[in-house]
Amino acid sequence: MRANWIRLRTMILLRWVAIAGQFTAVTLTPLLFGVQLEMGWCYFAIGISVIGNLLATFIFPENKRLSERQNMAMVMFDLVQLSFLLFLTGGLNNPFTLLLLGPVTISATALSLRATLVLCATAIVSVTVMALYNVPLETRNGDILRIPQLFIFGHWVALIIAVVFTSAYSQRVTSEIHLMADALAATQMALAREQKLTDLGGVVAAAAHELGTPLATIKLASAELVHELAKWPDLREDAELIRDQTDRCRDILHDMGRAGKDDLQMQQAPLITVVESAAEPHMERGKSVLVSLSTADGPASDQPSILRMPEIIHGLRNLVQNAVDFAESCVWIEARWNVDTITVRIIDDGKGFPPHLLGRIGDPFMSRRKKRKPDPCRPEYEGMGLGLFIAKTLLERSGASVRFANGADETGPQSGQVGAVVEVRWPRRKIDARTGDHALGIGQNVRF
C-alpha cells in the first residue's frame, strides 16, 4: 500500500503551511478590506489544526509512516476544517473555496480508490451545504457581500466537476505511474538475475575448462594404480574410489556448465545458438519447439554471429514461454537475416492473442481483475502482461522492435495453422558481433 510510504512529518509540514495561510487571511482581511468575520469561530477552527499538529509532533516519532486509515483521517480532518472555515466566511461567495481541491487531489495521488471516493463525496456534500447555508460576509457599514445566485449555482457546478475530474485524473495518472514503476522494477530484477546467471555460467565454464586437465591426470593415475594394485585388494579399492570420484567431479562440472558453457563464457555466438539457448528451458514441456534458419542473402551456413546479451536471451525466453503456454502442440521459431536486419519470429498453433487486447499487449499488468483459479491450459504460469512487458522492454533495450499479431491460415509453417505471432526485428548493426556498431574481436585465448 503506497499510502504507507508517506511520513507523518510531511503531512505536518503541509498542515503548518495551510495554518499559516488561514491565519494570515483571517487576520488581514478585516484590516485591509473592512469585512466583518466571526473571528472567534475562525480562530477556533484554526486552533484545532494547531492543537492537532502539536499533538502529532510530540506523540509520534519524526520517521513515522502513516497507514492508509491514518492518512485518510488526516486528509478528512483537513477537508472538514477547511469547509467549516469557508462556511464561516461566506461559503461559495468566498473565492478561496477552490482550496477544497487540495485534500481531494492528495487523496487521489496517495490513497486508495475507496478512500478517494469517500473524500470526494465529503467534498461534494460540503460544497452543496455551503451553497445553501453559510455565514454571509458583511462590511462595517452593514452591507452584505453576496454574488448573484446564478453565479453561486455556477460555482457549485464547477466545483463538483473539478472535484470529480481532478480526483479521477490524478488517480488514473498516479496509478499508471505506479504500475510502470513496478513493471520497470520487475524488469530490472529479471535483467539482474539473467546477468548473474550469465556471470555464474561463465565462471563454471571456466572452472570446468581449467579443471579438465588435472582431473584427467588424476583419472589416468588412478586407473594405473587400479591395475598395479591387483594383488592388494584394500589398496585397489581405494584407487577405484579415487577414479570413481574423479568421474563424478567431471560429471558435476559438465552439468553445471552445460546451460551456459558457450552462452555465458563467450560474448558472441551464432544466431541459432542464442535462439536455442533462449528456448532450451521450454523444450521439454510437452510441446514441440522447432527452430529454423532462413536467409535471403546466402546459405544458412553464413549466419551472423550476434552479441550474447542477457536482454536478448531473457526477452526471447519470455516470448517462447508465452508461446509454449498457449500452444496446442507446436511452436515454431524462425530466425531470418539479411544485409540490414535480423528477425526472429515466434509462432504457435494456439488460439492467438485476444483481439480486444492486441493493441495493449506489452503494457504491464493489463488485467486488474481479482485473482482467478489457475488456468488448466497453462498451469505453470499466471496471467499475461508483466512477462510480455519485461520481454518487450528488454528486447527494445537491445535495439529491437517487437510486433504482436495473430497469424492467418498461410502464416504458419503448416497449412491451417492459426495462432499468435511475435516478430522481433533488430537493425543488424545493433547486435552483429562482427560488423555492427559493437563489433567484438575474436582475440587470443588467455589463461585464467
Side-chain angles (χ1 to χ4, degrees):
M1 186 64 66
R2 296 184 186 273
N4 296 340
W5 295 2
I6 301 176
R7 292 187 304 166
L8 175 62
R9 181 179 178 83
T10 301
M11 299 298 291
I12 290 175
L13 289 176
L14 290 174
R15 185 177 287 174
W16 280 126
V17 172
I19 290 171
Q22 293 171 2
F23 180 82
T24 302
V26 169
T27 303
L28 296 182
T29 297
L31 299 176
L32 298 178
F33 303 104
V35 178
Q36 302 298 313
L37 300 177
E38 296 288 342
M39 303 298 291
W41 284 106
C42 290
Y43 285 135
F44 171 77
I46 298 173
I48 293 296
S49 289
V50 172
I51 293 173
N53 252 15
L54 292 176
L55 289 176
T57 301
F58 289 111
I59 292 177
F60 298 104
E62 291 187 1
N63 60 350
K64 177 177 174 55
R65 303 281 175 175
L66 298 176
S67 66
E68 170 81 10
R69 290 186 177 181
Q70 290 170 338
N71 263 306
M72 180 181 174
M74 291 198 70
V75 177
M76 179 66 77
F77 173 83
D78 292 335
L79 179 61
V80 173
Q81 187 263 356
L82 179 59
S83 299
F84 179 64
L85 198 58
L86 291 171
F87 169 81
L88 296 172
T89 55
L92 297 191
N93 295 282
N94 190 331
F96 287 101
T97 50
L98 185 65
L99 294 175
L100 288 172
L101 297 178
V104 173
T105 304
I106 292 175
S107 67
T109 55
L111 304 182
S112 64
L113 178 60
R114 179 180 300 178
T116 301
L117 291 175
V118 172
L119 287 163
C120 286
T122 304
I124 292 174
V125 171
S126 300
V127 170
T128 304
V129 170
M130 285 189 292
L132 300 174
Y133 309 101
N134 56 75
V135 177
L137 295 173
E138 184 177 351
T139 66
R140 293 193 183 98
N141 299 326
D143 298 327
I144 302 298
L145 299 178
R146 181 178 295 152
I147 62 178
Q149 197 64 30
L150 179 62
F151 283 84
I152 293 292
F153 177 75
H155 286 177
W156 176 75
V157 174
L159 283 171
I160 290 179
I161 293 175
V163 166
V164 174
F165 175 77
T166 303
S167 60
Y169 182 83
S170 301
Q171 210 275 336
R172 179 66 178 176
V173 171
T174 304
S175 177
E176 291 289 338
I177 292 173
H178 290 167
L179 289 178
M180 185 61 66
D182 290 341
L184 290 175
T187 303
Q188 289 297 116
M189 291 175 62
L191 180 59
R193 177 179 178 275
E194 192 68 32
Q195 188 65 56
K196 287 182 179 180
L197 292 176
T198 298
D199 297 339
L200 179 60
V203 171
V204 172
H209 175 75
E210 291 298 315
L211 292 175
T213 299
L215 285 176
T217 303
I218 295 173
K219 179 177 175 58
L220 179 62
S222 61
E224 292 179 354
L225 286 175
V226 169
H227 179 73
E228 295 292 336
L229 296 175
K231 298 180 180 180
W232 293 275
D234 293 340
L235 296 178
R236 177 174 179 173
E237 184 177 349
D238 293 339
E240 290 176 345
L241 179 61
I242 294 174
R243 182 190 62 187
D244 294 341
Q245 293 303 310
T246 303
D247 291 337
R248 183 183 177 191
C249 290
R250 181 197 61 193
D251 294 339
I252 290 174
L253 288 173
H254 174 74
D255 291 340
M256 290 176 65
R258 177 173 172 267
K261 55 185 178 181
D262 286 334
D263 298 345
L264 310 172
Q265 184 180 9
M266 301 175 63
Q267 296 181 351
Q268 57 183 332
L271 175 61
I272 187 65
T273 302
V274 176
V275 173
E276 289 179 344
S277 298
E280 183 180 8
H282 306 288
M283 291 282 195
E284 307 296 333
R285 290 181 50 202
K287 311 284 179 67
S288 298
V289 180
L290 307 177
V291 182
S292 63
L293 289 174
S294 63
T295 178
D297 297 331
S301 58
D302 295 334
Q303 65 174 301
S305 179
I306 67 173
L307 300 174
R308 288 207 49 83
M309 301 172 64
E311 293 93 334
I312 295 177
I313 297 174
H314 193 86
L316 291 178
R317 185 170 296 161
N318 275 15
L319 295 179
V320 173
Q321 169 187 311
N322 193 74
V324 172
D325 288 343
F326 288 101
E328 294 291 339
S329 60
C330 193
V331 174
W332 296 270
I333 305 175
E334 302 175 351
R336 302 178 180 178
W337 69 93
N338 56 34
V339 175
D340 299 318
T341 62
I342 295 175
T343 304
V344 175
R345 298 175 76 225
I346 301 171
I347 308 168
D348 64 69
D349 61 352
K351 298 179 181 179
F353 296 114
H356 66 284
L357 293 179
L358 199 55
R360 296 178 54 204
I361 293 177
D363 290 343
F365 307 111
M366 289 191 305
S367 176
R368 298 186 180 183
R369 292 173 290 181
K370 294 182 179 179
K371 187 175 180 181
R372 300 171 296 179
K373 295 181 179 179
D375 187 349
C377 297
R378 59 194 314 243
E380 297 184 32
Y381 303 95
E382 291 184 5
M384 179 180 65
L386 182 57
L388 290 179
F389 170 81
I390 291 175
K392 184 172 182 290
T393 302
L394 292 179
L395 291 170
E396 288 177 347
R397 179 179 295 183
S398 69
S401 61
V402 185
R403 185 175 67 90
F404 301 92
N406 286 324
D409 289 346
E410 67 275 11
T411 300
Q414 297 180 352
S415 60
Q417 181 269 326
V418 178
V421 179
V422 182
E423 182 180 87
V424 185
R425 177 172 296 180
W426 292 269
R428 183 161 176 167
R429 59 184 178 80
K430 292 289 187 180
I431 61 172
D432 195 310
R434 297 174 182 171
T435 61
D437 295 344
H438 308 284
L440 300 173
I442 297 177
Q444 299 180 353
N445 292 330
V446 179
R447 290 184 60 84
F448 287 94

